[in-house]
Amino acid sequence: MIVPMLKYTFLVYHREYEDFLIELCRLGVVHIAERNVEVSDKIKKKYTKLSAYKKAINFLEKREVKTPHKTKDSSAQELICDVARKQKELEELEVQLESLNKMALKAQPWGNYSPELIEQLKNEGINLLFFSTAKKKYTEIEEAGHPVVVISETGNQVVFVFIQQNEQNVNIEAEPIELPPLPYSVLENQIHEAAEKIKAINETLDSYANNSIYVLEAEKTKLIRSLKFDNVLRNTEKEAEEKLMILEGWVPQSKTPALNRFLQDSDAVYFSRKAKPDDKIPVLLKNNRYSKLFEPIGSMFSLPDYAELDLTVFFAPFFMLFFGFCLGDAGYGLLFLIGGGLYKLIAKPQFKPYLSLIQFLGAATILFGIISGTFFGINLIETNFTLTNKIRHLFLNPDKMFNLALILGALQIIFGLFLKAANQTKQFGFSYALSTYGWLVILIGSICYVVLSRAEFIPKNTTILYLIIALGGFFVLFFSDPGVNVFARVGKGIWDLYSTITGIFGDLLSYIRLFALGLSSAILGFVINDIGLQILGSSKILGPVFFVVFLLLGHTLNILISSLGSFVHPMRLTFVEFYKNAGFKGGGEEYNPFGMNDKCNNKL
């Protein structure tokens, strides 16, 4: 449910405005209405500074510091500059070290030669030319009497030097190679120096991570608070030679009594009104304990627009069932249910809602595991268990599970159309929902006719079906857009017929993924059990040990992989198929009150 909002306008004398804002911040109920005002350079600099603090904090928090390090006391500005500088130095040194290691690897076969000696020989008319060739070929070159000396041998490859005197002709079959620019010993020293510098920088950064993050966090919080006040001032209109301050904001209807009490005791003039259709209204959701667990899932796509319905309470049961269908193993669901409950005992309060969500998803998984007859990869339909013999006929085989996926999909699509009609009625009026109701007449009427005629409750008379389609089609064709003339309505209605018919069939087929994912999860579990049984029979002593280890690893991986798919695909069905058929527009702005979770003692 979307909480109703009221728009407040405050008129405050400029000398009292600072104290007024501090009290407003302490209340933490007013979402400041944004004006189309350009952001000043001063505020932009603060945002840049805030970004730098966040980046430094994230960088330091990722460091795994095992031992404490001492550090000198520094201001936040000194810390942020030093962290940024050392981070840059560290990146440059790591690139340099990688390059030096590559050079050292190439220079190692050459040993610790002297570049100065090579240059002296060159001045005396003696050139050293370096080659690489196979060992057999080198033997032939050596036997031919060429002045060559081996430098190194690696496997079948020989690196050697040809001593050229007085620019004599060199005619040997070998691959010429370049001498490394620096000898190995020099590179070793440079590698050591770079490694020592990296170590020193890491020790300094570790000390900051251990002892100085709180300084950066405090400054970040101060900056955020300052920017919130700046945002209020930026959205304050100044009148009467800047002596009258005018501020507008949105307040949830349920929180207005506390605000009104404060305003009555202050000297501010104020008035409030209900939201208008063209207002940019923030959205605050209020759902029951069950539906609230699914709000983070819905927010991954978008918050609803203030004027439309909040679909959280409507998609929550479907999402839970779809997750259970995709995972579809009663044993896995039991682990979710028990594991979530046990972890709640030690978890922090902010994580407990997520654990409750996991428990609900686990309960749905148990349900569909029972329906499909799957328990830790064991197929209860084909396995001869005494406990399940009497109820084996109640389990659904793959064909029936396939049909169940389509039935659930059809139910969600039709339910979405009902919600679309309700949304259209709420936003535009009943006449704008008649086209959607026409589709509901066609779909529900056709389904009822087919079911009842096959059950022989009504005679098989296609005239009845044609009448149902004609009635629904009338509303679709002539009420697709009541705001335009009849010819435009018919044109839009024809397009609506084409797009909806093709769209609904495509949407319905998308729900086959529920069956496919459930089947794949069950097959993987079955394969793990089958391989495990083969391991069990391989050895009387080690067989049982490896059997248990393999089952634990195999089913753990299956749970992780299948759970990911079981979460992503129902989310896709919700955001694409269900939201589309429910006419979800979205794009709502989150309710973010001024001063929420902030200390407001600071002056402006």
Side-chain angles (χ1 to χ4, degrees), residues 242-481:
E242 297 191 355
K243 291 185 178 180
L244 181 64
M245 303 295 181
I246 303 173
L247 180 68
E248 293 182 326
W250 294 96
V251 183
Q253 203 166 28
S254 58
K255 297 183 180 182
T256 54
L259 177 63
N260 290 338
R261 283 194 297 270
F262 155 66
L263 292 172
Q264 287 166 6
D265 295 336
S266 71
D267 294 328
V269 177
Y270 71 97
F271 57 89
S272 62
R273 65 168 175 83
K274 291 184 178 180
K276 295 179 181 178
D278 56 341
D279 284 329
K280 187 179 179 182
I281 312 163
V283 174
L284 174 64
L285 302 182
K286 183 182 179 181
N287 289 297
N288 57 41
R289 289 180 64 186
Y290 168 74
S291 302
K292 195 173 184 64
L293 300 175
F294 293 83
E295 285 181 6
I297 296 173
S299 64
M300 290 181 185
F301 183 79
S302 172
L303 284 171
D305 184 78
Y306 180 81
E308 62 183 343
L309 293 174
D310 174 24
L311 298 184
T312 306
V313 67
F314 303 113
F315 81 72
F318 282 103
F319 187 93
M320 187 181 81
L321 291 174
F322 292 164
F323 181 93
F325 202 132
C326 292
L327 194 53
D329 189 296
Y332 295 169
L334 201 61
L335 287 178
F336 280 26
L337 192 63
I338 296 172
L342 292 175
Y343 192 56
K344 270 186 180 180
L345 300 175
I346 58 172
K348 294 180 180 178
Q350 61 266 33
F351 291 115
K352 288 186 178 181
Y354 297 102
L355 296 172
S356 296
L357 176 61
I358 288 172
Q359 286 185 295
F360 276 110
L361 298 178
T365 305
I366 292 172
L367 173 65
F368 277 91
I370 293 171
I371 291 172
S372 63
T374 307
F375 186 82
F376 282 116
I378 301 170
N379 189 342
L380 300 178
I381 298 175
E382 298 178 0
T383 306
N384 189 18
F385 277 132
T386 307
L387 294 174
T388 58
N389 280 340
K390 292 182 180 180
I391 59 170
R392 189 181 301 174
H393 64 283
L394 299 176
F395 298 139
L396 300 185
N397 59 32
D399 291 338
K400 291 179 180 178
M401 292 297 290
F402 178 87
N403 293 332
L404 180 60
L406 293 178
I407 291 169
L408 285 174
L411 284 173
Q412 191 181 40
I413 288 171
I414 292 172
F415 183 58
L417 289 172
F418 273 110
L419 293 175
K420 183 179 181 180
N423 248 329
Q424 290 170 326
T425 303
K426 180 187 176 184
Q427 295 181 68
F428 311 112
F430 180 73
S431 61
Y432 283 83
L434 286 174
S435 175
T436 305
Y437 282 119
W439 279 112
L440 288 169
V441 168
I442 294 171
L443 291 172
I444 297 175
S446 301
I447 292 170
C448 290
Y449 169 77
V450 171
V451 173
L452 293 175
S453 62
R454 287 188 177 181
E456 298 182 352
F457 284 109
I458 60 172
K460 291 184 179 180
N461 186 348
T462 52
T463 304
I464 299 173
L465 181 60
Y466 293 152
L467 287 173
I468 293 169
I469 294 173
L471 177 63
F474 171 78
F475 289 111
V476 172
L477 284 173
F478 291 96
F479 291 91
S480 58
D481 187 355

Side-chain angles (χ1 to χ4, degrees), residues 493-544:
I494 292 171
W495 173 252
D496 189 22
L497 281 170
Y498 168 75
S499 59
T500 305
I501 289 172
T502 55
I504 282 179
F505 279 111
D507 293 344
L508 189 60
L509 292 175
S510 292
Y511 289 86
I512 296 174
R513 71 185 67 237
L514 299 174
F515 162 75
L517 286 166
L519 186 63
S520 64
S521 174
I523 290 173
L524 278 173
F526 172 77
V527 171
I528 289 165
N529 290 341
D530 189 48
I531 296 172
L533 289 172
Q534 293 179 33
I535 293 172
L536 179 63
S538 64
S539 172
K540 290 183 179 181
I541 300 173
L542 296 177

Side-chain angles (χ1 to χ4, degrees), residues 99-109 184 187-188 191:
S99 176
L100 287 171
N101 281 323
K102 288 179 181 177
M103 291 170 63
L105 190 63
K106 292 180 180 179
Q108 192 171 13
Y184 182 70
L187 291 170
E188 256 191 329
I191 289 171

Side-chain angles (χ1 to χ4, degrees), residues 63-182:
R63 302 186 70 82
E64 297 181 1
V65 183
K66 296 179 181 179
T67 55
H69 295 80
K70 291 183 179 180
T71 182
K72 63 178 183 178
D73 294 332
S74 303
S75 67
Q77 187 59 41
E78 289 173 338
L79 280 171
I80 200 74
C81 292
D82 200 34
V83 168
R85 184 169 57 251
K86 282 184 165 46
Q87 191 176 357
K88 185 179 179 182
E89 287 177 12
L90 187 63
E91 290 172 358
E92 290 174 353
L93 283 168
E94 285 174 346
V95 171
Q96 181 186 347
L97 184 61
E98 185 180 357
S99 176
L100 287 171
N101 281 323
K102 288 179 181 177
M103 291 170 63
L105 190 63
K106 292 180 180 179
Q108 192 171 13
W110 299 90
N112 297 320
Y113 66 89
S114 172
E116 294 80 8
L117 179 59
I118 293 173
E119 189 63 28
Q120 287 178 7
L121 290 171
K122 189 175 182 181
N123 293 334
E124 297 293 331
I126 300 172
N127 287 330
L128 301 181
L129 306 177
F130 303 94
F131 296 90
S132 174
T133 189
K135 189 180 291 186
K136 183 179 179 181
K137 193 69 180 175
Y138 174 77
T139 304
E140 294 176 1
I141 294 170
E142 191 177 33
E143 290 175 351
H146 292 292
V148 293
V149 178
V150 174
I151 294 175
S152 66
E153 293 185 27
T154 307
N156 192 41
Q157 202 72 13
V158 177
V159 175
F160 64 96
V161 60
F162 181 94
I163 302 170
Q164 182 190 38
Q165 294 183 354
N166 301 322
E167 297 184 358
Q168 69 184 93
N169 292 328
V170 180
N171 187 18
I172 57 174
E173 295 181 8
E175 181 185 355
I177 55 177
E178 292 291 331
L179 185 70
L182 294 171

